[in-house]
Amino acid sequence: MGVEFGLLGPVAVWNSDGTPLPLGAPRHREVLGRLLIARNRVVPVGRLVADLWDDEPPAGAVGAVRTFVAALRRTLEPGRPPRQPSRLLVTDGPGYVLRAGRDAVDAWQFEDTAARAAGAPPHAAVALWEEALARWRGPVLADFPDATWAAAEQARLEALRLDAVERRADALLATGAARDAVADLRAHVAVHPGREDGWVLLATALDRSGRRGEALETLRQARGALAGGHGPGPALVRVERLMLSGTAGSATEPAGTTDGIWDRAAAAWDRSVPARSRARLHATAGLLRDLAVTGADGLEEAREHRRELVAAAETTGDTELAARIIGSYDVPAVWTRADDPADSAELSRAAARTAARTAARLGPGGPPVLRARLLSVVAVESRGDAAADAPLPRAADSPVTEPWRLRAERAAAEAVRLARRLADPALLAFALNGAFMQSFATCGSAARREALGAEMARLAVDHHLPGHEVLGRLIRLQACAGLGDLAAADAEADEIDRLAHRNERPLAGVFTSWYQALRTCETDGWAKARPRYARLLESTANSGMPGLTRGAAVLVALVPAMRSDGLPDPDDFARLDAGPYGPWLEPLLLAASGAAEEARQALTAVPRPPRDLLQEALWCVLARAAGAVGHEPVLRQARDQLASAADESAGAGSGLISFGPVAHHLRAAQEALDAGRRPLT
């Protein structure tokens, strides 16, 4: 209607150009305020009468209310024709309702802006908190400070305002603007001395401004102010301890609001939930899932403790509980080589065993969601060759269907089918993660992975699954790089970085940083990319993902040779850890050093490359070695395996490195095969 309403101060109404509208007598404003706090719900006339007159209402109270409403309607809709029903202040059954949109009431605008601020990164959050607080013109419903009907809404909104003041200060501290927070926090604690978080934030802001003496004095004042209540809480004690030890003052250390909530909630949990209870197992599973995405340290801790948690769940003898614990770890996984292959294999087998036991115990009527989760775990943990229960086939031999791989592929397909049937978005995202991990049955699967990543990203956007949105975009980034569509990969990288910052997913930046080095190599050449790779190898060595980083230096060192037609210099690899890539690197280095017979022997014994993001790159390495020493069986297998990836870039689908177009390596392999068949002259 072009009308806006004010509750954050005296009751007010403004027209579309911001001009205040006259509301007449106090009773008119009181009726309007009462209808506004009902939030688009009907207020019966009898309720209005009881609220407006605390004592015995006069005989004409109902008629008076109707008169007040009529006057308000004239003010709010001055152009409404006579006898046409009001569209704003509506008669509905036994009472009245004010139909106002959320963007038409300052209190609701404040709440919505605060909600956006709570999910924004620090710099954006500061601006949003300031926008929210700027809507306040005074106390809530300032015209009616003693009205019983207003008390609850006044208390609720005032509590939100105090929280907003503190969270704005928290955001300022996170941006390094501690000095800007001091003045407002001083005023805040002066008026509200019982707010422990306010004191903690003020002391922290002073300390980060280089005023530790004032900070310690502030903490002393806080103890005095809080002494009449429950005394200082854990957040204040912690900050004081850090300052006295000389370790506070970090510009990146979380401020008091978050710490205080965490400490109090953790203490309440310890008091309330019995030791060794199933609730603790469930909560621990959720905590480990969240811990895994906090960064390198959290990922390593989560990996270690997850093994212990699964073992603890299995010892309870409750198969369904064990299934829920195993299946709850739906952490988005994008790298196809397990950080700990032995652990992944054991977890995959444990999930398979538990799935079978659960199905047998619960029968066909058992929860399909549990089965879908366990099958997804099997699919994700069976990445690469982690689930192999026999030696890998040799690269020189004809391809075979490996039973463990078939089981994992079937698990992924069944999990996706069940998740779609259940219409569970989070479960489907997890199942699609398993489908991605099992999408490497053959070379040349980048187009399929691009489709999987796009579906996962759309699903995550529609159902607010930020972790899986990052994963879907990472999958698509890799696939687009493999397909040579760098423009699409660039767009995904930019969006990933934005999402990772907003949702605190630091490990995503490891993958986008590697992609930027790959892109530099593709567009500007090896000479420009080399220093970038050198910095990356150093900065990501401790990322908590050894499956990704161990042996990465060898892959990078291979790039210039593999993008040309020659053999690498073995001396370049003398001091590098080949990690998991040793078996496929060895024949190439032997061939490069002139040990042709040893190279042929190594090629005869080498297993086929793992079914993962680097399989095309490793087949190209084997093809180069086999071509150099005339090992026809491996050369033929490499050509046949790579044929389906002829339109891709070798290794680029990993998002790490590129050995150039697969088509170039195919031509070289065919030329080597043709040369081996020519009769001697």
Side-chain angles (χ1 to χ4, degrees), residues 388-586:
D389 51 14
L392 297 183
R394 296 188 308 169
D397 296 338
S398 297
V400 297
T401 301
E402 299 155 274
W404 65 86
R405 173 157 300 283
L406 192 59
R407 288 195 296 270
E409 290 172 359
R410 287 173 176 168
E414 178 67 3
V416 171
R417 187 189 69 80
L418 284 170
R420 290 195 195 284
R421 194 186 81 195
L422 292 165
D424 184 330
L427 181 59
L428 179 56
F430 186 24
L432 290 173
N433 198 172
F436 160 69
M437 288 297 183
Q438 298 305 320
S439 65
F440 300 88
T442 63
C443 293
S445 59
R448 183 188 172 198
R449 299 199 304 275
E450 192 277 334
L452 280 170
E455 180 181 3
M456 189 183 298
R458 287 193 302 271
L459 178 75
V461 168
D462 290 344
H463 299 281
H464 190 60
L465 304 169
H468 280 93
E469 183 182 356
V470 171
L471 171 62
R473 293 185 182 280
L474 280 170
I475 291 171
R476 191 162 184 270
L477 178 150
Q478 294 170 336
C480 290
L483 294 168
D485 188 351
L486 297 184
D490 288 347
E492 294 294 356
D494 290 344
E495 188 64 13
I496 289 163
D497 286 338
R498 185 189 70 80
L499 286 167
H501 175 75
R502 178 168 185 173
N503 296 288
E504 297 180 327
R505 298 291 193 271
L507 295 178
V510 173
F511 293 95
T512 55
S513 296
W514 275 89
Y515 165 71
Q516 294 300 338
L518 180 157
R519 193 192 194 292
T520 300
C521 190
E522 293 282 69
T523 57
D524 301 327
W526 169 247
K528 291 287 184 64
R530 182 175 183 175
R532 193 160 196 162
Y533 273 122
R535 292 192 296 271
L536 265 177
L537 287 168
E538 182 178 355
S539 65
T540 63
N542 297 315
S543 64
M545 295 183 284
L548 170 72
T549 56
R550 186 163 180 255
V554 159
L555 296 174
V556 171
L558 280 170
V559 169
M562 294 301 297
R563 291 176 73 89
S564 68
D565 292 319
L567 296 174
D569 183 346
D571 290 342
D572 292 342
F573 298 82
R575 288 181 293 277
L576 297 181
D577 175 16
Y581 309 110
W584 300 280
L585 176 67
E586 182 188 10

Side-chain angles (χ1 to χ4, degrees), residues 372-389:
R373 283 198 165 275
L374 287 167
L375 290 170
S376 297
V377 170
V378 171
V380 171
E381 297 298 342
S382 300
R383 66 189 79 178
D385 292 312
D389 51 14

Side-chain angles (χ1 to χ4, degrees), residues 5 7 11-13 23 27-37 72 76 89 98 141 149:
F5 301 92
L7 291 175
V11 176
V13 183
L23 288 176
R27 287 297 194 194
H28 298 171
R29 294 196 302 276
E30 191 168 7
V31 169
L32 180 60
R34 179 63 184 86
L35 293 173
L36 281 170
I37 69 167
L72 285 171
L76 299 177
L89 207 171
L98 185 69
L141 293 160
W149 58 265

Side-chain angles (χ1 to χ4, degrees), residues 193-218:
R195 303 276 300 187
E196 180 180 359
D197 285 342
W199 286 108
V200 171
L201 285 162
L202 175 57
T204 304
L206 288 166
D207 185 52
R208 293 185 186 178
S209 302
R211 299 151 68 178
R212 177 155 294 181
E214 290 182 65
L216 290 170
E217 174 59 22
T218 294

